[in-house]
Amino acid sequence: MADIAIIGGGAAGAALFGALLNQDSNATVHWITGASTQGRGVAYATPEDHHLLNVRAAGMGLYVDQDEDFVQHATRQRAGVRTTDFLPRRLFGDFIEAQVRARIATAEARGRAFALHAAEALRVDPQIDGYDVLLADKRILHVDAVILAVGALSPRPLRTVSNDALASGAYELNPWNLPHRNRAPRRMIVIGTGLTAVDTLISASTQWPDAELVAVSRHGLLPFVHPTLPAQPYPQQNQLNAQLLACHDPVGMVRAIRQAMRESPQLDWRSVIDGMRPINATLWQRLTLAQRRQFLRHARWIWEASRHRIAPPSAEIIQQLRDEGRLQVHAARVLGVDGQGPLDVTVRARANQVMSTLQADLVVQATGLDTAVAFTEHALLSQLIEDGLAVADPLQLGVAAHPDGRLINARGDSQPGLYAIGSLLRGNLWECTAMPEIRAAAHALAANLAALHPAGAVPISAATA
Ligand SMILES: Cc1cc2nc3c(=O)[nH]c(=O)nc-3n(C[C@H](O)[C@H](O)[C@H](O)COP(=O)(O)OP(=O)(O)OC[C@H]3O[C@@H](n4cnc5c(N)ncnc54)[C@H](O)[C@@H]3O)c2cc1C
């Protein structure tokens, strides 16, 4: 296999790095991790024990062919771990680091070549026989293939937020910055009600026990909760999945799912949603662009809440906050955020369309993954787009790519030797950001790279934009 650069130090980068190290080759694997701790990325860097995984311990892992599973590892850290538990994300971060260390030790023992670079990658420039990757410390790595594992982009402020509000210091774009804020707000408003909003509300409730908490989103729907123990699988899931695959429009799909649920009243609806997981990417790929747009506009909110559920302990904390009157959840559209602190948040209620203004000392934006590469300030992605090596997915769900991660360039051709893994592929795969999907993708991509880029030069200059 040829020299490869993985750009991105999160879990996706770690999964791919470990998978590549396991292969027999005399080529070098470069892992460019930026400043973050190797493998933890955004999700698993949290030190807070109440930030829980939303997948049961048995479902979490880093490699398809792992040396030790997560439950075994967690059992050594704390007593009484069960496979069905939703453990702290911090523990999974420890597990990733341990797994990476183990693969590195084996690679060293076998003489497998690799290099770790704790620097940001700023540019990727095509050369006659591969790519030059420019790092922030001015070094240039010459490789045959590059894999973008950069995760989601830094959030951009909502268009409705004024410059004054942004400059006030009372508008927080990065929910994970909360622990660095010293002053307790009297009222904090979170824009968004998804998984990140839940973590933010739980953190704020312990950090500032007297703060009044408000969460606002268009539908005011928090994620549904997982059952305490795994629900029984739906016995007719295979037939249902075959029916869904045969049906080419989203309305028909929803009808089939509803019918399955009506015909089996004992069934836990969550089993049906979970049972669709193996076919979600294929279903998405079969939709036309117009149908995908329709799904995003009308069904995304309910899909996200049903598919990406929270752990029961998190749901209990949220319920308690609501029961105690410390947390209010509004279904309303945010029309504007203005002021110099405190901030005025103007909303229009979904139920009666009445406008009102709420005041808050702190407003936190927690509106989900940003993968709109056409508008990003991410240096590397902007350069790739500008140079035509990558193009945005038409729905701004990442980059245009093939299902196996090969990027499509501005000419509409495959860009040889340039790949992505994880959130940047949502346009093609839709569900590709959770660990079960990431580790399968890393395994498949490592095998593809070995087959497509055997050691030696790969002439790519003719096909670059
Ligand atoms: C809060 C949260 C909780 C989650 N919980 C779960 C869960 O419980 N179970 C589950 O299965 N999934 C979960 N996920 C989804 C998924 O597992 C994670 O998102 C996963 O960690 C994604 O990893 P990643 O490497 O793609 O991205 P990231 O974690 O975002 O890592 C990308 C890294 O690349 C770095 N980077 C970016 N650009 C460059 C550059 N130019 N040069 C060098 N480095 C760069 C970034 O700084 C970052 O460290 C969660 C996600 C989030 C955000």
Side-chain angles (χ1 to χ4, degrees), residues 7-12 36 41-42 44 53-55 121 150-151 176 378 433-435:
I7 301 178
S36 61
V42 176
Y44 310 112
L53 292 166
N54 56 17
V55 173
V150 297
W176 311 112
H378 188 280
T433 58
M435 283 323 294

Side-chain angles (χ1 to χ4, degrees), residues 1-335:
M1 200 206 317
D3 290 352
I4 285 173
I6 303 167
I7 301 178
L16 184 59
F17 179 63
L20 288 170
L21 283 193
N22 240 17
Q23 296 176 337
D24 283 326
S25 168
N26 56 3
T28 304
V29 186
H30 296 271
W31 188 17
I32 303 165
T33 57
S36 61
T37 317
Q38 281 155 12
R40 288 190 180 256
V42 176
Y44 310 112
T46 173
E48 298 188 34
D49 261 353
H50 51 249
H51 287 164
L52 299 180
L53 292 166
N54 56 17
V55 173
R56 293 179 202 278
M60 291 298 287
L62 185 63
Y63 308 129
V64 164
D65 49 354
Q66 46 197 17
D67 317 313
E68 182 193 31
D69 73 28
F70 175 48
V71 178
Q72 283 172 331
H73 176 91
T75 306
R76 280 197 274 107
Q77 312 277 314
R78 57 161 68 186
V81 168
R82 287 164 304 180
T83 52
T84 52
D85 285 349
F86 296 93
L87 295 172
R89 291 208 296 273
R90 179 181 65 74
L91 284 183
F92 190 68
D94 296 344
F95 171 74
I96 296 177
E97 281 195 54
Q99 291 286 299
V100 170
R101 274 197 305 272
R103 286 270 157 122
I104 286 179
T106 314
E108 278 170 342
R110 289 169 45 225
R112 177 80 168 90
F114 67 90
L116 301 171
H117 308 274
E120 200 186 335
L122 298 180
R123 296 186 62 85
V124 169
D125 291 303
Q127 303 297 320
I128 195 138
D129 58 350
Y131 291 96
D132 278 352
V133 181
L134 172 67
L135 304 185
D137 58 17
K138 303 218 163 41
R139 278 178 303 146
I140 294 175
L141 307 176
H142 182 73
V143 292
D144 301 282
V146 174
I147 296 90
L148 305 174
V150 297
L153 307 170
S154 301
R156 287 169 300 136
L158 299 174
R159 267 177 298 191
T160 47
V161 183
S162 73
N163 288 337
D164 276 353
L166 285 175
S168 69
Y171 192 84
E172 182 55 79
L173 261 179
N174 181 355
W176 311 112
N177 273 348
L178 242 53
H180 305 300
R181 288 183 168 263
N182 296 325
R183 190 161 349 135
R186 271 176 303 136
R187 181 191 277 161
M188 176 181 104
I189 297 180
V190 178
I191 305 178
T193 54
L195 293 174
T196 304
V198 168
D199 276 354
T200 307
L201 292 165
I202 293 176
S203 295
S205 72
T206 46
Q207 191 174 343
W208 301 307
D210 298 324
E212 187 189 331
L213 306 173
V214 180
V216 189
S217 72
R218 265 179 236 174
H219 293 88
L221 183 68
L222 291 157
F224 291 104
V225 61
H226 282 288
T228 311
L229 288 172
Q232 286 298 317
Y234 173 41
Q236 270 90 47
Q237 189 77 46
N238 287 345
Q239 290 95 307
L240 173 63
N241 286 358
Q243 199 183 342
L244 293 172
L245 287 168
C247 158
H248 287 264
D249 81 296
V251 178
M253 290 178 194
V254 172
R255 207 176 293 134
I257 296 167
R258 283 209 176 125
Q259 193 186 341
M261 290 178 184
R262 254 199 320 272
E263 285 172 2
S264 313
Q266 310 301 330
L267 179 69
D268 187 323
W269 63 268
R270 293 167 287 199
S271 312
V272 176
I273 302 294
D274 294 349
M276 288 170 59
R277 198 164 183 166
I279 61 161
N280 282 337
T282 314
L283 289 179
W284 176 255
Q285 283 155 7
R286 289 187 180 182
L287 299 182
T288 63
L289 190 60
Q291 287 171 332
R292 290 181 190 184
R293 195 171 276 126
Q294 196 185 8
F295 170 85
L296 293 176
R297 193 173 306 138
H298 301 296
R300 179 185 199 161
W301 63 278
I302 184 75
W303 174 259
E304 299 276 13
S306 315
R307 166 75 189 76
H308 301 287
R309 301 187 293 269
I310 48 175
S314 306
E316 276 164 30
I317 299 175
I318 291 290
Q319 192 54 50
Q320 195 183 339
L321 291 171
R322 295 181 87 167
D323 292 346
E324 289 168 357
R326 286 177 63 197
L327 168 64
Q328 291 174 46
V329 181
H330 295 301
R333 181 190 281 264
V334 175
L335 301 178

